[in-house]
Amino acid sequence: MADSRLHCAADSLHSTGHISRVPGFLLADQTLHIGTVKEADCYELRKIGLQPAEAKAVPAYAYAKEQFHLAAFVGFRLVSVATFLLEDQSDDGAYSAIGFSWRLRGMATHPRHRNCGYAAAVLEHGARLLRRRQASVLWANGRSSAIRFYLNHGFARISDERLMPGVQPHFRIERRL
């Protein structure tokens, strides 16, 4: 993953003309940091990164008993976000582990920073935090356009593709923790 982050950071620096040669390390102001943020801090990036879907207004997940929001920063630039909610898969009865089932929502990466490993870093950090909380499963409604990302990161499809009015085509997916 370090190679992809270097490549992406170098591309953004090189494209702005700041450097003519890529150094063999990430510059200090281009270091990746993952941390907890407030839900409102995620909203602007979700408006850009979730298109053509609309980002939910804050508070988007007020119903959740427990939630946390993670973000990836490259230097001081917010590049990827995700929300993790304590929530069972209850609408179709596919899974129930009250208190141990978490849902991934609102995962978005800025289009200029996709395929750099930032979303994967957010997802893996979230999975580590969930294991510390004794979670057993992380599930989501993963967009069909992003299904390869999820499958490459340990998720399995547990439904056929869902086509619903006003919602992007998606699959129900889950990852055992």
Side-chain angles (χ1 to χ4, degrees):
M1 184 185 326
D3 291 338
S4 66
R5 287 194 307 244
L6 174 61
H7 176 71
C8 292
D11 282 352
S12 70
L13 287 172
H14 186 50
S15 66
T16 60
H18 290 275
I19 60 174
S20 59
R21 191 172 150 270
V22 178
F25 58 90
L26 288 174
L27 299 176
D29 64 345
Q30 294 296 309
T31 302
L32 175 65
H33 298 280
I34 308 293
T36 305
V37 294
K38 295 178 183 174
E39 182 182 8
D41 297 334
C42 302
Y43 182 69
E44 291 301 318
L45 179 56
R46 286 186 176 140
K47 284 190 344 187
I48 297 165
L50 293 177
Q51 290 181 359
E54 290 189 28
K56 294 179 178 277
V58 175
Y61 314 111
Y63 65 89
K65 292 180 187 176
E66 195 174 336
Q67 61 183 286
F68 62 93
H69 315 276
L70 294 178
F73 292 87
V74 174
F76 297 106
R77 182 172 295 150
L78 178 65
V79 296
S80 191
V81 296
T83 292
F84 298 83
L85 310 167
L86 180 62
E87 183 178 338
D88 278 340
Q89 295 181 42
S90 57
D91 66 324
D92 63 0
Y95 187 84
S96 182
I98 296 172
F100 300 98
S101 182
W102 287 74
R103 183 175 183 183
L104 174 65
R105 302 252 0 219
M107 185 161 213
T109 300
H110 193 284
R112 285 182 289 183
H113 297 280
R114 290 185 180 149
N115 301 311
C116 295
Y118 304 139
V122 170
L123 178 61
E124 294 309 318
H125 187 76
R128 280 190 301 276
L129 294 175
L130 291 175
R131 282 191 293 272
R132 288 182 193 159
R133 294 172 183 237
Q134 306 301 309
S136 59
V137 69
L138 176 61
W139 69 278
N141 290 323
R143 286 185 184 197
S144 299
S145 61
I147 195 65
R148 182 174 294 170
F149 168 83
Y150 292 112
L151 295 176
N152 287 339
H153 292 284
F155 284 86
R157 278 185 256 182
I158 59 169
S159 77
D160 292 329
E161 186 175 42
R162 296 173 171 205
L163 304 171
M164 300 164 52
V167 177
Q168 297 294 307
H170 65 275
F171 294 92
R172 177 69 54 93
I173 57 176
E174 75 174 22
R175 175 177 163 177
R176 298 295 172 158
L177 301 169

